[in-house]
Amino acid sequence: MVNIIDRRRNPKGKSLANRQRFLRRAKRQVVDAVNEASGKRKVADVAGGEKITIPTDGLHEPVFRKSAEHGVREHVLPGNKEYVVGDTIPRPPAGSGGGSQASPSGEGEDEFTFTVSRDEFLDLFFEGLELPNMAKSQVKKSDQLTQQRAGYAVSGSPSNLNVERTMRNSLSRRIALRRPKGNEIRALEEEIDRLERSGSDPERLRELIDQLRLKKERSRSIPYIDPVDIRYNRFTQVRKPVTQAVMFCLMDVSGSMSEEMKGLAKRFFMLLYLFLERRYRYVDIVFIRHTHIAQEVDEDTFFYSRETGGTLVSPALRMMSDIVAERYPVADWNIYAAQASDGDNTPADNPHTNELIRNVILPLCQHFAYIEVGLAGHSVRLPSDLWRLYEKVSHGQAPLAMRKVRTQGDIFPVFRDLFTPAELKR
Amino acid sequence: MSKEPLFRGSDWDYRDVMRVYEAVERIATEELQLDVYPNQIEVINSEQMLDAYASMGLPLFYRHWSFGKHFARDEMLYRKGYTGLAYEIVINSKPCISYLMEENTLTMQTLVIAHAAFGHNHFFKNNRLFQEWTDAEGILDYLDFAKSFISGCEERYGVSAVEQVIDAAHALMGQGVDRYPKPHSRNLREERDREIERIRYEEQTYNDLWRTVPGAPDDPLRDYADPVAARRERLGLPEENLLYFLEKRAPLLEHWQREILRIVRNTAQYFYPQRQTKVMNEGCASAVHYYIMTRLHEDGLLTDGAFMEFLHSHTSVVMQPDFDDLRFSGINPYALGFAILQDLKRMATQPTAEDRQWFPQLAGCGDWVGVWQHAWREFRDESFILQFLSPKVIRDFQLFSLYNEASAPELVVAAIHDEAGYRQIRSALAKRHDLAYIEPDIQVVDVDLAGDRKLILEHRINDGATLEKSDAQAVLGHLANLWGYAVKLYEVDAESGRVINEFPEVAPGNL
């Protein structure tokens, strides 16, 4: 006897749990790999980068096995063409000679390339990071589920029955199938009654009785309401924001910023942008770039335009506070800002900047991150104007974080550092 | 006599599979006298096949990252086209489960049914090793128990705590089998029930007071003249099954940790016969499918086209590339097993003078089915090759043996396929299929339970091949974690008993 079972509809991905465990196990290596890659590759590639090479360290499964470097063995091989007993063959170089199974002592493993999906990748990439001090909500989650009408369904609970739609379906079905109406039957019955009383036209009477019988049968076989008519209201769950946040990205594109420095700044913002897009559903992002004047720009302009000019920091800060006043009421919005600059400012502007950051911007913000970009060669440099100014403002107290970035390799660690919640920092 | 073919196209539905199954079954039972467990055929798709691959081909298995790793690797190789998928996976259970891939043509399904549902199935049911060491009836229940037990542990003690134990147990899996029968129960179903009963009993009868009772004052060891010998006897040393030893004797393990070791050990033991009979098992299945498909074709039940399709996949499965071929990756168990069985059939029916000289009891006996049945029942790869590898097969494969001394710059051809070489090649090939010889022989030889509790292990070397160092060191780390105290491994020469190498003592980390 044989039993045939179709398992194709069984859930696939029975290995999913194992795969997740594997990823969790590999996470340190993956994060290291990403960290290293982010120093080499464009950050934009990171989002699409799905192939990771990780060393087997930590993923290697050791077993007791005999070393190929010692001892005496006798191998048996197929396909002898010319050898006779006593012939010698030079030892093939290690690693060649056909595949892992040919080697007499188990398999060797090298670095292991495997593919993670984009989602898995970004999850790992940003795991554990979050915007600090999301305070203007009761819960930390940035959204909540609510019910919303979404058309009709053929199944559901009685309380969701949609009577109107059900009756409409029933009516059209009755019309389409020509179910006799009540008054037709009543008219027939009356006529039959009349003919019976008069007894005049028996031929016609028989015909009418037949008709009546047919109609009654028909109305019995076509019910007034059929299960196929019934419709229920369908609801779906939609996410509704309960916490709103806005991130201001302020970038200095003045003449003192070299292309390389701008590159570093842009990379940082790119990472920030990916992070926000990935982790938060309702975060507005405002891009402001400034030279001696500040401009609110769209994403493309922010990342790709090459305009330049003199340096003033205060216009950018002022513009930010204006936008907040106009569009993002402080009571409802969590306000964040990240500023990237080389730290140069026109000396005359410093008092303005000081005033603005101390009394206007920082009181608005949940968190303000300042990234000072510099170049690797210029390490012996006095602290910049802006750095000293911000340092004085912060005193380590205000929601102001300051970091320096000199090479591409610094970006990811600095980013992680800025957005790792304090309780997770070691 | 020509009948209507079973099918013409390549598409299939259940009725087709049923019809094919019945035709195959008739030939298998009537002509080959196969005796099989009830069959269960499951249709799956390629992704599920990859899933099944990743958990050692088992339908349900506990969760562990290394299965995910294998899945990731297999998937990558498959997606890039480096490897195809096996056409089938078959499980040694009762009922015997064979997986069919939905993508296969009906010809392939016929082949798979003949190969797996009858060939492997018969082998599982009748081979002595499987009968002695595995419990086809209980395995599915046991796997189910193992899975839920381990996920229960994960809930109670955390995934990573469980993972550490499984990692360590997996590292020792090769040393987790009994190579020789011991008198203990083999019924996995009972074992599961007993385990459940044991837990329940302990929970019901737990009383904290017992901890406070002082231990027995007198040391039983004191009476013995030689305390070392007494201790070794009491611990059942030497012990080659490291997992068994740890499960029973490791002083610091929690009950659930012991149970996990037991699960891994039982799994290792369950697969041990399969590892010892690769050549025979695949040979049996290949010979069976070849015979059945040929007979179906002769009876007119297979069209010429379907038969050609079958021959194409059959020949690629049983092909043996030469050693200097790029495709070469060792001796192909399908090829070797199939060739030996076909040769046995030939010897039984059309013997040559050489056969009469080499296999007097077998040559010309005519009952080739009986010869096959006997071989399938009584042997494992090593003894099978030693017994039945004939000069003809050695010539057909052009086998030769190479003497490889690791310190020498060159390999030496020790024997070729000629009169002088047959026996040497045969015994060398048999030896290469002897797991007990290939795998390192590592035993627990001593432990001082009253003293520092250091565990002493010995690797007995008989071919000069010491252990691969970094791996061994890592496994010793796992071992020390399970044992809870320091572990020391010596490598000694099996004949002289001389210590050749010793590994630095490994202290446990934290488990």
Side-chain angles (χ1 to χ4, degrees):
Chain A
M1 240 337 272
V2 63
N3 211 351
I4 303 178
I5 301 173
D6 191 345
R7 296 274 186 216
R8 282 171 294 179
R9 282 168 179 276
N10 277 24
K12 279 184 288 214
K14 233 173 23 179
S15 300
L16 193 66
N18 290 331
R19 188 182 162 81
Q20 284 164 345
R21 264 151 227 249
F22 168 60
L23 271 181
R24 192 173 56 80
R25 174 95 179 193
K27 201 166 71 199
R28 206 190 69 231
Q29 280 94 336
V30 174
V31 169
D32 286 351
V34 166
N35 201 344
E36 194 189 331
S38 74
K40 288 183 203 147
R41 283 189 285 181
K42 288 186 191 165
V43 175
D45 293 348
V46 166
E50 286 138 13
K51 202 182 295 161
I52 308 182
T53 306
I54 50 172
T56 43
D57 164 45
L59 295 174
H60 177 61
E61 295 170 85
V63 290
F64 282 129
R65 56 195 171 92
K66 293 184 180 179
S67 160
E69 288 160 24
H70 300 281
V72 179
R73 291 174 181 74
E74 195 169 357
H75 308 291
V76 177
L77 300 171
N80 176 26
K81 280 129 204 142
E82 73 241 21
Y83 297 132
V84 294
V85 174
D87 280 357
T88 55
I89 303 172
R91 184 178 296 281
S96 80
S100 56
Q101 285 170 24
S103 91
S105 52
E107 74 222 70
E109 287 179 35
D110 303 324
E111 294 209 329
F112 174 29
T113 310
F114 75 107
T115 320
V116 292
S117 71
R118 190 190 137 100
D119 282 353
E120 282 170 332
F121 184 92
L122 289 177
D123 277 347
L124 283 166
F125 194 64
F126 294 123
E127 201 195 35
L129 303 185
E130 53 186 56
L131 290 174
N133 308 325
M134 270 278 211
K136 283 163 196 172
S137 72
Q138 300 82 341
V139 282
K140 274 209 165 178
K141 259 187 284 173
S142 71
D143 47 20
Q144 196 179 51
L145 293 173
T146 54
Q147 299 264 318
Q148 186 177 311
R149 284 286 300 274
Y152 306 99
V154 292
S155 61
S157 75
S159 62
N160 288 341
L161 184 73
N162 187 311
V163 178
E164 189 192 334
R165 180 58 66 124
T166 301
M167 291 314 290
R168 194 198 291 178
N169 284 344
S170 146
L171 181 61
S172 46
R173 182 180 50 81
R174 276 179 274 135
I175 293 171
L177 296 176
R178 281 192 238 109
R179 185 184 198 265
K181 289 183 179 139
N183 49 8
E184 283 175 37
I185 290 177
R186 230 171 297 126
L188 261 180
E189 280 172 342
E190 274 165 25
E191 195 170 352
I192 289 169
D193 195 37
R194 199 159 39 76
L195 283 175
E196 272 175 344
R197 278 176 213 275
S198 66
S200 58
D201 189 354
E203 198 70 4
R204 168 110 179 112
L205 179 64
R206 201 169 306 120
E207 200 179 305
L208 286 179
I209 288 176
D210 269 1
Q211 264 184 34
L212 179 67
R213 190 172 50 78
L214 277 176
K215 287 207 179 215
K216 280 197 163 164
E217 260 173 30
R218 200 169 174 80
S219 79
R220 259 201 307 281
S221 63
I222 303 170
Y224 192 76
I225 291 184
D226 189 275
V228 302
D229 304 331
I230 295 173
R231 289 295 177 276
Y232 299 89
N233 293 327
R234 184 207 293 274
F235 293 94
T236 54
Q237 301 209 310
V238 291
R239 289 171 183 278
K240 188 182 139 202
V242 294
T243 303
Q244 296 162 306
V246 56
M247 169 67 78
F248 286 88
C249 297
L250 310 171
M251 179 164 61
D252 181 358
V253 291
S254 66
S256 61
M257 292 274 285
S258 69
E259 270 313 306
E260 263 176 293
M261 288 169 159
K262 282 184 201 167
L264 290 177
K266 282 176 187 175
R267 264 157 216 254
F268 179 82
F269 285 121
M270 197 82 91
L271 208 51
L272 181 61
Y273 179 70
L274 270 176
F275 166 62
L276 295 173
E277 208 193 17
R278 175 85 198 151
R279 287 292 301 271
Y280 298 95
R281 215 172 273 266
Y282 299 102
V283 170
D284 277 11
I285 305 178
V286 178
F287 296 103
I288 297 174
R289 29 171 257 155
H290 71 95
T291 53
H292 56 287
I293 48 163
Q295 272 178 301
E296 186 186 352
V297 294
D298 63 12
E299 197 182 313
D300 278 352
T301 324
F302 187 78
F303 285 116
Y304 301 113
S305 107
R306 310 172 66 91
E307 230 170 286
T308 183
T311 314
L312 284 177
V313 175
S314 61
L317 297 178
R318 176 153 302 122
M319 172 163 254
M320 175 177 159
S321 77
D322 290 348
I323 293 174
V324 168
E326 199 179 313
R327 309 208 301 254
Y328 299 104
V330 182
D332 300 343
W333 289 81
N334 289 288
I335 293 167
Y336 295 89
Q339 181 185 16
S341 165
D342 60 349
D344 275 351
N345 194 12
T346 314
D349 187 45
N350 281 340
H352 290 287
T353 309
N354 187 16
E355 165 68 18
L356 272 171
I357 193 89
R358 190 187 293 268
N359 297 332
V360 182
I361 300 293
L362 288 181
L364 293 176
C365 285
Q366 302 296 115
H367 190 74
F368 188 102
Y370 173 66
I371 311 302
E372 186 157 306
V373 291
L375 293 178
H378 306 188
S379 52
V380 206
R381 218 178 79 158
L382 289 173
S384 69
D385 297 344
L386 216 50
W387 186 271
R388 272 181 304 186
L389 194 153
Y390 281 1
E391 213 164 29
K392 247 182 266 165
V393 173
S394 84
H395 291 305
Q397 306 261 319
L400 173 65
M402 302 164 63
R403 294 287 185 283
K404 286 184 183 161
V405 172
R406 301 211 176 281
T407 63
Q408 289 183 20
D410 295 341
I411 293 176
F412 186 69
V414 164
F415 183 84
R416 273 199 90 79
D417 187 32
L418 283 176
F419 293 100
T420 303
E423 64 268 23
L424 291 183
K425 280 186 190 168
R426 272 164 290 171
Chain B
M1 110 190 134
S2 187
K3 291 183 209 157
E4 183 65 13
L6 287 167
F7 55 88
R8 289 184 187 278
S10 57
D11 288 346
W12 53 271
D13 61 24
Y14 290 114
R15 260 169 313 166
D16 294 329
V17 174
M18 268 326 234
R19 213 168 47 238
V20 162
Y21 181 89
E22 276 158 20
V24 169
E25 182 179 39
R26 193 183 52 73
I27 297 175
T29 52
E30 287 174 13
E31 298 183 21
L32 289 175
Q33 287 154 29
L34 298 188
D35 163 32
V36 294
Y37 292 126
N39 272 304
Q40 177 159 320
I41 290 173
E42 306 197 353
V43 181
I44 60 177
N45 56 33
S46 55
E47 196 155 336
Q48 290 166 323
M49 189 60 118
L50 277 169
D51 282 341
Y53 258 40
S55 53
M56 302 188 185
L58 293 172
L60 65 171
F61 211 29
Y62 54 82
R63 291 178 178 158
H64 188 251
W65 62 271
S66 78
F67 307 137
K69 171 177 150 184
H70 290 127
F71 181 81
R73 187 185 291 262
D74 290 342
E75 190 188 31
M76 180 192 72
L77 292 175
Y78 175 60
R79 299 241 184 275
K80 287 190 175 170
Y82 290 143
T83 53
L85 289 177
Y87 298 120
E88 41 82 28
I89 284 184
V90 55
I91 294 161
N92 169 23
S93 61
K94 181 181 180 187
C96 177
I97 300 175
S98 324
Y99 293 130
L100 299 189
M101 281 228 283
E102 65 171 349
E103 291 89 338
N104 291 350
T105 62
L106 188 45
T107 310
M108 289 307 299
Q109 308 295 30
T110 315
L111 167 59
V112 170
I113 290 171
H115 181 93
F118 289 94
H120 284 308
N121 188 346
H122 173 83
F123 195 80
F124 289 148
K125 187 173 175 192
N126 293 282
N127 183 266
R128 192 169 283 272
L129 287 165
F130 284 87
Q131 285 181 343
E132 198 160 336
W133 290 104
T134 69
D135 172 22
E137 211 156 326
I139 185 66
L140 294 179
D141 283 341
Y142 188 72
L143 290 174
D144 189 34
F145 157 73
K147 186 178 178 187
S148 57
F149 180 85
I150 288 182
S151 71
C153 288
E154 286 176 345
E155 273 169 33
R156 276 193 181 188
Y157 310 104
V159 172
S160 65
V162 173
E163 188 174 281
Q164 278 175 327
V165 181
I166 300 182
D167 282 354
H170 279 186
L172 294 167
M173 224 169 161
Q175 281 68 43
V177 292
D178 293 331
R179 292 189 168 78
Y180 308 99
K182 275 183 196 166
H184 50 201
S185 142
R186 296 272 148 238
N187 190 327
L188 296 175
R189 193 195 298 256
E190 274 172 29
E191 200 147 293
R192 177 200 59 172
D193 295 342
R194 264 177 43 193
E195 165 57 22
I196 292 168
E197 186 56 38
R198 198 155 57 219
I199 293 173
R200 191 173 302 140
Y201 179 79
E202 276 179 16
E203 278 172 358
Q204 281 169 355
T205 56
Y206 178 76
N207 187 339
D208 204 40
L209 266 184
W210 286 109
R211 279 194 310 106
T212 63
V213 176
D218 54 336
D219 180 1
L221 287 186
R222 212 184 295 156
D223 300 342
Y224 289 87
D226 179 359
V228 175
R231 178 170 72 219
R232 288 176 50 139
E233 193 186 320
R234 222 161 49 101
L235 292 171
L237 297 177
E239 171 63 62
E240 56 162 1
N241 190 335
L242 302 190
L243 282 179
Y244 178 79
F245 179 81
L246 290 168
E247 177 198 326
K248 299 295 178 213
R249 306 279 180 199
L252 300 181
L253 290 182
E254 302 274 339
H255 173 78
W256 61 272
Q257 293 172 318
R258 291 180 204 279
E259 192 59 34
I260 289 177
L261 295 190
R262 185 188 189 79
I263 286 168
V264 173
R265 179 167 68 83
N266 277 328
T267 318
Q269 192 74 59
Y270 173 78
F271 281 111
Y272 193 60
Q274 304 205 7
R275 292 169 54 218
Q276 289 185 91
T277 55
K278 259 189 189 150
V279 170
M280 293 198 66
N281 203 342
E282 295 304 349
C284 167
S286 298
V288 165
H289 81 226
Y290 183 74
Y291 179 81
I292 291 177
M293 296 299 275
T294 312
R295 289 283 300 113
L296 286 174
H297 182 237
E298 280 169 7
D299 282 356
L301 294 169
L302 275 190
T303 61
D304 290 348
F307 192 62
M308 289 303 286
E309 186 193 346
F310 154 71
L311 284 178
H312 175 75
S313 43
H314 170 76
T315 45
S316 55
V317 166
V318 300
M319 187 197 61
Q320 175 62 63
D322 288 348
F323 76 99
D324 49 2
D325 190 309
L326 277 179
R327 293 165 296 179
F328 178 73
S329 63
I331 300 262
N332 175 357
Y334 291 81
L336 184 63
F338 180 71
I340 294 178
L341 287 169
Q342 290 305 113
D343 192 50
L344 287 180
K345 184 177 170 191
R346 181 193 59 77
M347 284 194 279
T349 49
Q350 297 156 332
T352 62
E354 185 186 50
D355 299 330
R356 292 189 192 282
Q357 188 200 333
W358 279 70
F359 301 95
Q361 74 287 20
L362 215 150
C365 73
D367 177 22
W368 59 271
V369 173
V371 173
W372 279 10
Q373 292 275 4
H374 169 69
W376 292 334
R377 206 165 44 238
E378 302 293 344
F379 295 84
R380 61 191 166 105
D381 285 350
E382 180 235 351
S383 55
F384 177 68
I385 291 170
L386 206 54
Q387 184 76 16
F388 295 118
L389 183 65
S390 70
K392 176 164 191 310
V393 174
I394 295 179
R395 282 194 300 273
D396 288 348
F397 277 71
Q398 297 178 304
L399 292 177
F400 67 112
S401 83
L402 277 180
Y403 184 76
N404 173 7
E405 194 176 342
S407 52
E410 291 173 321
L411 309 171
V412 183
V413 176
I416 64 164
H417 49 92
D418 61 10
E419 201 65 45
Y422 293 143
R423 285 179 202 281
Q424 192 179 339
I425 287 176
R426 189 164 75 176
S427 66
L429 189 60
K431 211 172 174 186
R432 294 238 60 88
H433 285 86
D434 182 3
L435 285 188
Y437 173 78
I438 301 170
E439 292 184 342
D441 172 17
I442 294 170
Q443 302 187 347
V444 182
V445 290
D446 199 11
V447 48
D448 183 359
L449 277 184
D452 61 4
R453 299 190 171 178
K454 192 199 294 172
L455 191 65
I456 313 281
L457 300 164
E458 237 176 51
H459 172 215
R460 298 174 69 80
I461 304 172
N462 44 24
D463 51 11
T466 47
L467 293 175
E468 204 283 316
K469 294 237 161 23
S470 67
D471 256 23
Q473 201 67 40
V475 179
L476 287 177
H478 281 308
L479 187 55
N481 283 347
L482 291 176
W483 177 243
Y485 298 90
V487 170
K488 175 90 181 167
L489 173 65
Y490 294 95
E491 299 196 86
V492 302
D493 185 76
E495 276 169 25
S496 65
R498 202 165 48 85
V499 175
I500 293 175
N501 179 33
E502 57 182 280
F503 282 84
E505 192 172 306
V506 181
N510 40 352
L511 184 70

